[in-house]
mmCIF file of all heavy atoms in Angstrom:
data_model
loop_
_atom_site.group_PDB
_atom_site.id
_atom_site.type_symbol
_atom_site.label_atom_id
_atom_site.label_comp_id
_atom_site.label_asym_id
_atom_site.label_seq_id
_atom_site.Cartn_x
_atom_site.Cartn_y
_atom_site.Cartn_z
ATOM 1 N N ARG A 251 160.540 136.340 86.778
ATOM 2 C CA ARG A 251 161.599 135.488 87.313
ATOM 3 C C ARG A 251 162.214 136.107 88.567
ATOM 4 O O ARG A 251 162.568 135.408 89.516
ATOM 5 C CB ARG A 251 162.666 135.322 86.241
ATOM 6 C CG ARG A 251 163.653 134.218 86.515
ATOM 7 C CD ARG A 251 163.068 132.848 86.172
ATOM 8 N NE ARG A 251 164.135 131.848 86.148
ATOM 9 C CZ ARG A 251 164.540 131.177 87.231
ATOM 10 N NH1 ARG A 251 163.983 131.404 88.395
ATOM 11 N NH2 ARG A 251 165.503 130.283 87.129
ATOM 12 N N TYR A 277 154.392 127.032 96.488
ATOM 13 C CA TYR A 277 155.357 126.776 97.545
ATOM 14 C C TYR A 277 156.226 128.015 97.741
ATOM 15 O O TYR A 277 156.414 128.823 96.827
ATOM 16 C CB TYR A 277 156.273 125.596 97.182
ATOM 17 C CG TYR A 277 155.704 124.232 97.423
ATOM 18 C CD1 TYR A 277 154.809 123.657 96.513
ATOM 19 C CD2 TYR A 277 156.052 123.493 98.547
ATOM 20 C CE1 TYR A 277 154.291 122.383 96.730
ATOM 21 C CE2 TYR A 277 155.546 122.230 98.773
ATOM 22 C CZ TYR A 277 154.665 121.679 97.858
ATOM 23 O OH TYR A 277 154.154 120.416 98.079
ATOM 24 N N GLN A 279 160.166 129.052 99.394
ATOM 25 C CA GLN A 279 161.423 128.499 99.875
ATOM 26 C C GLN A 279 162.285 129.593 100.468
ATOM 27 O O GLN A 279 162.583 130.602 99.819
ATOM 28 C CB GLN A 279 162.195 127.799 98.752
ATOM 29 C CG GLN A 279 163.452 127.084 99.231
ATOM 30 C CD GLN A 279 164.087 126.233 98.151
ATOM 31 O OE1 GLN A 279 164.038 126.546 96.966
ATOM 32 N NE2 GLN A 279 164.667 125.094 98.537
ATOM 33 N N ASP A 298 143.233 123.650 100.109
ATOM 34 C CA ASP A 298 143.957 123.789 101.367
ATOM 35 C C ASP A 298 144.803 125.056 101.319
ATOM 36 O O ASP A 298 145.746 125.130 100.537
ATOM 37 C CB ASP A 298 144.839 122.563 101.594
ATOM 38 C CG ASP A 298 145.626 122.628 102.904
ATOM 39 O OD1 ASP A 298 145.468 123.613 103.658
ATOM 40 O OD2 ASP A 298 146.408 121.694 103.172
ATOM 41 N N PHE A 333 157.585 129.123 94.347
ATOM 42 C CA PHE A 333 157.452 128.139 93.270
ATOM 43 C C PHE A 333 155.990 127.774 93.072
ATOM 44 O O PHE A 333 155.218 127.636 94.019
ATOM 45 C CB PHE A 333 158.220 126.867 93.601
ATOM 46 C CG PHE A 333 159.714 127.014 93.599
ATOM 47 C CD1 PHE A 333 160.414 127.098 94.789
ATOM 48 C CD2 PHE A 333 160.414 127.065 92.408
ATOM 49 C CE1 PHE A 333 161.784 127.236 94.799
ATOM 50 C CE2 PHE A 333 161.791 127.199 92.405
ATOM 51 C CZ PHE A 333 162.479 127.291 93.604
ATOM 52 N N PRO A 340 146.369 114.958 92.275
ATOM 53 C CA PRO A 340 147.131 115.094 93.515
ATOM 54 C C PRO A 340 147.530 113.756 94.115
ATOM 55 O O PRO A 340 148.258 113.702 95.080
ATOM 56 C CB PRO A 340 146.150 115.820 94.438
ATOM 57 C CG PRO A 340 144.800 115.398 93.946
ATOM 58 C CD PRO A 340 144.940 115.253 92.452
ATOM 59 N N ALA A 342 149.260 110.345 95.014
ATOM 60 C CA ALA A 342 150.697 110.091 95.099
ATOM 61 C C ALA A 342 151.158 108.872 94.327
ATOM 62 O O ALA A 342 152.325 108.752 94.022
ATOM 63 C CB ALA A 342 151.103 109.931 96.560
ATOM 64 N N PHE A 343 150.237 107.986 93.994
ATOM 65 C CA PHE A 343 150.727 106.689 93.564
ATOM 66 C C PHE A 343 151.257 106.657 92.146
ATOM 67 O O PHE A 343 151.966 105.751 91.777
ATOM 68 C CB PHE A 343 149.639 105.616 93.740
ATOM 69 C CG PHE A 343 148.309 105.970 93.146
ATOM 70 C CD1 PHE A 343 148.039 105.776 91.800
ATOM 71 C CD2 PHE A 343 147.309 106.501 93.936
ATOM 72 C CE1 PHE A 343 146.808 106.099 91.259
ATOM 73 C CE2 PHE A 343 146.069 106.828 93.405
ATOM 74 C CZ PHE A 343 145.819 106.627 92.060
ATOM 75 N N TYR A 347 155.134 115.796 90.759
ATOM 76 C CA TYR A 347 154.753 117.175 90.488
ATOM 77 C C TYR A 347 155.800 117.829 89.592
ATOM 78 O O TYR A 347 156.990 117.522 89.701
ATOM 79 C CB TYR A 347 154.645 117.981 91.779
ATOM 80 C CG TYR A 347 153.532 117.557 92.705
ATOM 81 C CD1 TYR A 347 153.400 118.136 93.947
ATOM 82 C CD2 TYR A 347 152.607 116.589 92.347
ATOM 83 C CE1 TYR A 347 152.387 117.773 94.816
ATOM 84 C CE2 TYR A 347 151.595 116.208 93.199
ATOM 85 C CZ TYR A 347 151.490 116.804 94.429
ATOM 86 O OH TYR A 347 150.487 116.436 95.281
ATOM 87 N N PHE A 349 157.497 121.365 88.782
ATOM 88 C CA PHE A 349 157.676 122.698 89.352
ATOM 89 C C PHE A 349 158.141 123.680 88.283
ATOM 90 O O PHE A 349 158.852 123.311 87.341
ATOM 91 C CB PHE A 349 158.730 122.678 90.461
ATOM 92 C CG PHE A 349 158.241 122.113 91.767
ATOM 93 C CD1 PHE A 349 158.093 120.743 91.941
ATOM 94 C CD2 PHE A 349 157.930 122.955 92.834
ATOM 95 C CE1 PHE A 349 157.633 120.216 93.135
ATOM 96 C CE2 PHE A 349 157.483 122.435 94.038
ATOM 97 C CZ PHE A 349 157.336 121.066 94.184
ATOM 98 N N TYR B 154 154.122 105.897 99.885
ATOM 99 C CA TYR B 154 154.984 105.838 98.724
ATOM 100 C C TYR B 154 156.277 106.601 99.032
ATOM 101 O O TYR B 154 156.269 107.589 99.759
ATOM 102 C CB TYR B 154 154.313 106.482 97.508
ATOM 103 C CG TYR B 154 153.291 105.591 96.855
ATOM 104 C CD1 TYR B 154 152.020 105.454 97.390
ATOM 105 C CD2 TYR B 154 153.596 104.886 95.697
ATOM 106 C CE1 TYR B 154 151.077 104.634 96.789
ATOM 107 C CE2 TYR B 154 152.660 104.054 95.089
ATOM 108 C CZ TYR B 154 151.411 103.934 95.646
ATOM 109 O OH TYR B 154 150.476 103.121 95.055
ATOM 110 N N HIS B 156 159.016 108.882 97.500
ATOM 111 C CA HIS B 156 159.278 109.768 96.357
ATOM 112 C C HIS B 156 160.643 110.410 96.515
ATOM 113 O O HIS B 156 161.049 110.767 97.631
ATOM 114 C CB HIS B 156 158.220 110.882 96.305
ATOM 115 C CG HIS B 156 156.913 110.436 95.744
ATOM 116 N ND1 HIS B 156 156.368 110.987 94.606
ATOM 117 C CD2 HIS B 156 156.033 109.483 96.156
ATOM 118 C CE1 HIS B 156 155.213 110.397 94.340
ATOM 119 N NE2 HIS B 156 154.985 109.491 95.253
ATOM 120 N N TYR B 158 162.878 113.695 94.877
ATOM 121 C CA TYR B 158 162.974 114.890 94.052
ATOM 122 C C TYR B 158 164.394 115.419 94.173
ATOM 123 O O TYR B 158 165.102 115.113 95.136
ATOM 124 C CB TYR B 158 161.997 115.976 94.527
ATOM 125 C CG TYR B 158 160.572 115.756 94.098
ATOM 126 C CD1 TYR B 158 159.781 114.782 94.698
ATOM 127 C CD2 TYR B 158 160.005 116.525 93.085
ATOM 128 C CE1 TYR B 158 158.479 114.570 94.286
ATOM 129 C CE2 TYR B 158 158.695 116.324 92.672
ATOM 130 C CZ TYR B 158 157.941 115.345 93.273
ATOM 131 O OH TYR B 158 156.651 115.143 92.870
ATOM 132 N N GLN B 160 166.743 119.205 93.440
ATOM 133 C CA GLN B 160 166.682 120.633 93.123
ATOM 134 C C GLN B 160 168.062 121.095 92.702
ATOM 135 O O GLN B 160 168.983 121.156 93.535
ATOM 136 C CB GLN B 160 166.175 121.439 94.316
ATOM 137 C CG GLN B 160 165.920 122.897 93.993
ATOM 138 C CD GLN B 160 165.228 123.648 95.117
ATOM 139 O OE1 GLN B 160 165.237 123.218 96.273
ATOM 140 N NE2 GLN B 160 164.636 124.786 94.792
ATOM 141 N N SER B 163 169.331 127.182 91.606
ATOM 142 C CA SER B 163 168.491 128.226 90.998
ATOM 143 C C SER B 163 167.338 127.660 90.167
ATOM 144 O O SER B 163 166.836 128.328 89.251
ATOM 145 C CB SER B 163 169.338 129.149 90.103
ATOM 146 O OG SER B 163 170.349 129.768 90.860
ATOM 147 N N HIS B 171 159.735 107.344 92.045
ATOM 148 C CA HIS B 171 159.022 106.949 93.244
ATOM 149 C C HIS B 171 158.731 105.459 93.199
ATOM 150 O O HIS B 171 158.735 104.840 92.114
ATOM 151 C CB HIS B 171 157.740 107.767 93.443
ATOM 152 C CG HIS B 171 156.591 107.343 92.567
ATOM 153 N ND1 HIS B 171 156.457 107.771 91.266
ATOM 154 C CD2 HIS B 171 155.523 106.548 92.823
ATOM 155 C CE1 HIS B 171 155.353 107.264 90.753
ATOM 156 N NE2 HIS B 171 154.759 106.513 91.667
ATOM 157 N N ARG B 213 154.844 109.746 100.989
ATOM 158 C CA ARG B 213 153.509 110.257 100.701
ATOM 159 C C ARG B 213 152.485 109.130 100.775
ATOM 160 O O ARG B 213 152.669 108.071 100.191
ATOM 161 C CB ARG B 213 153.460 110.877 99.303
ATOM 162 C CG ARG B 213 154.313 112.102 99.136
ATOM 163 C CD ARG B 213 154.127 112.678 97.751
ATOM 164 N NE ARG B 213 152.749 113.088 97.533
ATOM 165 C CZ ARG B 213 152.227 113.297 96.322
ATOM 166 N NH1 ARG B 213 152.954 113.098 95.255
ATOM 167 N NH2 ARG B 213 150.983 113.693 96.188
ATOM 168 N N PRO B 215 148.907 107.494 99.662
ATOM 169 C CA PRO B 215 148.335 107.479 98.313
ATOM 170 C C PRO B 215 147.444 108.662 97.998
ATOM 171 O O PRO B 215 147.439 109.169 96.889
ATOM 172 C CB PRO B 215 147.555 106.161 98.275
ATOM 173 C CG PRO B 215 148.206 105.305 99.288
ATOM 174 C CD PRO B 215 148.688 106.228 100.362
ATOM 175 N N TYR B 218 148.011 114.918 99.039
ATOM 176 C CA TYR B 218 148.478 115.826 97.999
ATOM 177 C C TYR B 218 149.734 116.589 98.409
ATOM 178 O O TYR B 218 150.362 117.247 97.600
ATOM 179 C CB TYR B 218 147.375 116.822 97.630
ATOM 180 C CG TYR B 218 146.808 117.556 98.818
ATOM 181 C CD1 TYR B 218 147.455 118.673 99.339
ATOM 182 C CD2 TYR B 218 145.639 117.134 99.424
ATOM 183 C CE1 TYR B 218 146.946 119.341 100.436
ATOM 184 C CE2 TYR B 218 145.115 117.808 100.519
ATOM 185 C CZ TYR B 218 145.780 118.909 101.015
ATOM 186 O OH TYR B 218 145.265 119.562 102.104
ATOM 187 N N LEU B 220 153.481 117.495 99.405
ATOM 188 C CA LEU B 220 154.885 117.117 99.335
ATOM 189 C C LEU B 220 155.582 117.874 100.451
ATOM 190 O O LEU B 220 155.679 119.083 100.391
ATOM 191 C CB LEU B 220 155.494 117.543 97.999
ATOM 192 C CG LEU B 220 155.465 116.595 96.822
ATOM 193 C CD1 LEU B 220 156.131 117.261 95.629
ATOM 194 C CD2 LEU B 220 156.147 115.294 97.146
#
Side-chain angles (χ1 to χ4, degrees):
Chain A
R251 194 79 167 88
Y277 279 80
Q279 186 172 33
D298 181 2
F333 291 103
F343 51 83
Y347 294 175
F349 283 77
Chain B
Y154 282 79
H156 282 241
Y158 282 74
Q160 188 172 19
S163 300
H171 78 277
R213 295 183 62 198
Y218 53 82
L220 270 180

